Amino acid sequence: MKTIFTAVTILILTTNVAFGQISTQSIRGTVMDKQSQTMIPGVSIVLLGSVPLKGSTTDGNGHFKITEVTPGRYDLKISYLGYKEIVMPNVVVTSGKEVVLDIGMEENVSALQEIVVTGNKKNETNNEMVSVSGRSFSMEEVNRYAGGRSDPSRLAANFAGVSSPDDSRNDLVIRGNSPVGVLWRIEGLNIPNPNHFSTVGTTGGPVSAINTNVIKNSDFFTSAFPAEYGNANAGVFDLGFRTGNSEKYEHTFQLGALTGLEGMTEGPINKRKGSSYLIAYRYSFTGVAQKLGIPIGTTATPFYQDLSFKFNGGATKFGRFTLFGMGGKSKISFLHDQIDSSDLFANPAKDSYFTSDIGLLGVKHFYKLNAKSYINTIVGSTYNAGNYLEDNVATDLKPAERNIENKSSQLRYSLNTSFNSKISSKLFVKAGLISEVINLLLDARQRDSNSVWRQYWDFNDKTMLNQAYAQMKYRFTEKLTVNAGLHFQYLTLNNATSIEPRLGLKYQFTRKQCLIAGYGMHSQMQPIDVYFYRTHYTDGSYTTSNQNLDFTHSQHFVIGYDLLPASDWRIKTEIYYQLLSNVPVTRNSSSYSMLNSGASFLPNDQSLLENKGTGTNYGAELTVEKFFSKGYYVLLTGSIYEAKYKGSDHIERNTAFNGQYVYNVLGGKDIKIGAEKRNVFSLGMKLTQAGGRYYTPVDLEASQASGTQIVKGDEYAFSQRYPDFFRLDVKVGITLNSKLKKLSQSFSLDIQNVTNTQNVFAQRYSPVTNIINTAYQIGFFPNFVYKVQF
């Protein structure tokens, strides 16, 4: 590692000597009508805070460029007659990377509007159809906040209504829902799980395979999302990859304790056509981190690597084509003689081996039909696979033998096409189709007490999930906007169907205040492995009793109030109620409910289910945020909520995800340093406290008799609660902008769980100690990242 830092230092020193001119940077991009995607000429762009004041005007193709910008943070003001004026805050300029922006403007309802209508881009989502429970985020935010680990999921955990009190995984609990209810969409393709070490039927994992250096400004929704999103009951991540620089070559090198060793390159393919490439590769660094004494939650060494890319074909007479993709591989082995009592995952009586692969590949085609309409089509495939093997350790009474073999894979072929049209300044419509062919392989077996193999999954076939939607945005006036839509989905496996209305209202009764309301009916498939679990009978026969399960339904009701007390402050509150129905529960009376799926690492191995369960989630949320300005930012979020369910015994219980409250306090300060104030020292902190989750206690006597963990019966289901979760993170960093070269460096040290609080991970029976042990989450954890851009 010393060699790497020495080489970088020599490179910096030698390049600094070679140039004598003060290094500045450029801000460029395009401005378009947000709804029609038509470029707008003549738009004024002013770089607020620059001395002297700098600016530009878009040309006939909607392009603009502001040159000779000194490194720093700026606000951009974008204005054009007949359109809502925009202030885009916190545009970060460094020596090492040109800033490229795609800016969408919204036309005023009346072309004769004389009142200046302003908007803050920070207060909006990229999706036009969002009225409630939506939030956009940027690559800069993901990497700025303390405790983020360069993970979009952990960033979202800072938002109101979201909880993730788990250091070992990035599963998101949104308004009391299971993480299984989250939809991930990348560049228009739905992907079951974009994480390393992922398993079938889950949406989270220990390490994200999404490289935050390649994502662009993206959206996150927590309730009543627009009609174009289906097959999700909890929330939606709608992510996009940014386009590589089409005018100059740029490169990034990064080294991080968790993200590993990374290289990224981007640049033009054909400058005249505006085509470009972006390629990024990461390889895990955790083995070195362990040797440095940095705890990662297990003594086993995880290996993972991933690749992300995007090729933009530029403008052609046939439209614009884009090729994008990502792929990742991960593996880990838990060996009984190489673990200790603090290990979160391993069993001292077993050896286990796990590998997983993920992949995404797609082609996007954007075609303008006319000045007001366009078609957007994505064709591609996603791949998720996992292989888990478990061996019993040899004892004096029994030799070592393979105990579990579990192989699974999903290969999905997807089509997502939409027609978009701006009918007028008041009306925008969008309609589309989403079709997914799901090729599924499930092959799992386990030895019973007599060492006889029992096959629990044996499926190798395909099914289809087809979705259609139509939605519109209608602005009656500048103050009143309605978003309405209808979503339909159909599962060919068992002919399950669902028709789902969506409605959102926004009333901007003053320039700084608005009332919002939303309703949505949402439906979701069960975790894919649930349908094909085998029920075995005493005569040796079996049946796949879950194959005819219907969708789980969810109705979302939301009202809220949004206030902008100052140009860089926002206060928002929402109250919500969610009614879940058609939830799979057991046919015989029990406490089981599919709403608790995802609470453990175990597969969904429950048979004889039917759609007769219910659930309710309700709560209130508050966000107080100061956007990054004047050198600092503040984010305060809090939620109080309840998450309840009823199994087939009709007894109301807490779900496994009912933490009841969560709050976050984040803040940070940038201090300009150096003679010319080109460099920045940054300091940030994050404090999180969340209510402990409910769980079913272990039956110690039964576990000791059987030699494996057994939990207590229905009368104890989710009756006990873990202690509250508390964590304080502190992050310090420095950014150095070269004075003589277009090169920037940054180093950050993110110290997570500064107080070394022992947050409980789980209580579980150990066959070695023959008692119930408490496993704790990761303690004091220093995570470092070094990045150089040039």
Side-chain angles (χ1 to χ4, degrees), residues 203 212 318-319 416 419 456 495 554 580 597 654 658 697:
T203 61
T212 55
F318 301 107
N416 183 348
F419 168 78
Y456 290 97
N495 296 321
S554 174
L580 295 122
S597 175
N654 296 292
N658 189 14

Side-chain angles (χ1 to χ4, degrees), residues 39-52:
M39 300 299 176
I40 308 176
V43 178
S44 171
I45 299 98
V46 178
L47 190 66
L48 302 178
S50 58
V51 181

Side-chain angles (χ1 to χ4, degrees), residues 343-641:
D343 201 294
L344 301 182
F345 307 100
N347 186 328
K350 300 179 185 296
D351 290 335
S352 56
Y353 314 87
F354 180 68
T355 62
S356 73
D357 302 312
I358 60 173
L360 178 148
L361 180 66
V363 175
K364 180 184 291 186
H365 179 222
F366 174 87
Y367 185 74
K368 285 283 290 181
L369 297 172
N370 51 51
K372 292 184 177 293
S373 304
Y374 64 93
I375 294 176
N376 204 28
T377 302
I378 303 101
V379 178
S381 64
T382 63
Y383 180 72
N384 285 74
N387 186 4
Y388 177 77
L389 304 175
E390 182 180 283
D391 298 337
N392 287 327
V393 176
T395 66
D396 295 337
L397 302 177
K398 196 173 184 180
E401 67 175 357
R402 176 64 43 85
N403 183 50
I404 296 177
E405 294 179 350
N406 190 338
K407 301 177 183 179
S408 64
S409 67
Q410 292 185 70
L411 176 61
R412 301 192 178 202
Y413 298 102
S414 301
L415 168 69
N416 183 348
T417 184
S418 64
F419 168 78
N420 306 259
S421 183
K422 179 183 177 182
I423 306 300
S424 67
S425 60
K426 291 186 175 183
L427 179 61
F428 173 66
V429 297
K430 182 176 183 178
L433 298 170
I434 303 172
S435 182
E436 294 178 276
V437 179
I438 306 172
N439 294 276
L440 182 65
L441 169 66
L442 295 172
D443 182 7
R445 61 178 187 165
Q446 183 174 0
R447 293 187 190 272
D448 61 19
S449 58
N450 297 317
S451 294
V452 177
W453 284 110
R454 283 294 186 100
Q455 193 84 29
Y456 290 97
W457 279 280
D458 186 10
F459 183 84
N460 188 1
D461 208 338
K462 62 184 177 182
T463 186
M464 290 186 68
L465 178 66
N466 296 312
Q467 304 175 67
Y469 64 89
Q471 54 189 12
M472 71 165 193
K473 177 177 183 177
Y474 189 80
R475 294 190 293 163
F476 290 91
T477 66
E478 294 291 355
K479 293 185 176 181
L480 180 60
T481 302
V482 175
N483 291 303
L486 193 67
H487 182 93
F488 170 80
Q489 63 187 37
Y490 169 64
L491 179 63
T492 61
L493 175 69
N494 54 23
N495 296 321
T497 60
S498 179
I499 299 176
E500 307 160 11
R502 316 281 174 87
L503 179 65
L505 302 172
K506 180 178 181 181
Y507 181 58
Q508 188 87 38
F509 58 93
T510 72
R511 287 182 59 187
K512 296 184 177 182
Q513 301 178 79
C514 71
L515 293 174
I516 52 178
Y519 166 79
M521 167 67 83
H522 304 271
S523 300
Q524 184 176 10
M525 290 174 59
Q526 310 310 325
I528 194 69
D529 55 338
V530 171
Y531 293 101
F532 309 105
Y533 184 72
R534 287 182 173 183
T535 303
H536 287 270
Y537 298 108
T538 55
D539 61 0
S541 62
Y542 65 88
T543 180
T544 51
S545 58
N546 297 334
Q547 191 158 328
N548 290 320
L549 285 174
D550 199 356
F551 299 122
T552 294
H553 301 312
S554 174
Q555 296 186 72
H556 296 238
F557 304 86
V558 188
I559 58 172
Y561 170 71
D562 207 336
L563 170 66
L564 297 175
S567 61
D568 52 0
W569 281 88
R570 180 191 192 189
I571 300 173
K572 182 179 181 181
T573 183
E574 288 191 351
I575 300 173
Y576 67 89
Y577 181 83
Q578 182 184 4
L579 179 62
L580 295 122
S581 60
N582 236 33
V583 180
V585 295
T586 55
R587 297 176 189 175
N588 297 325
S589 178
S590 80
S591 63
Y592 177 86
S593 172
M594 189 61 69
L595 294 183
N596 297 310
S597 175
S600 70
F601 293 90
L602 301 176
N604 297 295
D605 55 357
Q606 186 67 48
S607 61
L608 300 172
L609 299 177
E610 58 184 1
N611 295 96
K612 291 187 177 181
T614 60
T616 54
N617 299 325
Y618 55 90
E621 303 166 356
L622 176 67
T623 298
V624 179
E625 181 173 14
K626 182 194 176 294
F627 308 136
F628 206 121
S629 65
K630 302 173 184 176
Y632 74 100
Y633 71 92
V634 175
L635 176 62
L636 310 174
T637 63
S639 307
I640 53 174
Y641 63 97

Side-chain angles (χ1 to χ4, degrees), residues 27-34 37 39 45 58 61-64 76 78 86 88 91 98-105 121 124-126 187 216-218 240-246 274 276 310 312 320 322 364:
I27 300 175
R28 66 177 182 86
T30 57
V31 181
M32 67 191 75
D33 185 292
K34 191 173 183 180
Q37 298 289 292
M39 300 299 176
I45 299 98
T58 56
N61 295 317
H63 299 292
F64 72 91
L76 277 180
I78 303 100
I86 297 171
M88 179 176 287
V91 177
E98 186 176 52
V99 178
V100 182
L101 303 171
D102 292 320
I103 303 170
M105 300 189 73
K121 290 292 287 183
E124 300 178 358
T125 56
N126 297 301
E187 287 288 323
K216 63 181 180 182
N217 287 5
S218 301
F241 288 172
R242 64 181 181 85
T243 300
N245 198 316
S246 60
S276 65
K310 185 174 183 178
N312 171 34
R320 185 171 65 247
T322 304
K364 180 184 291 186

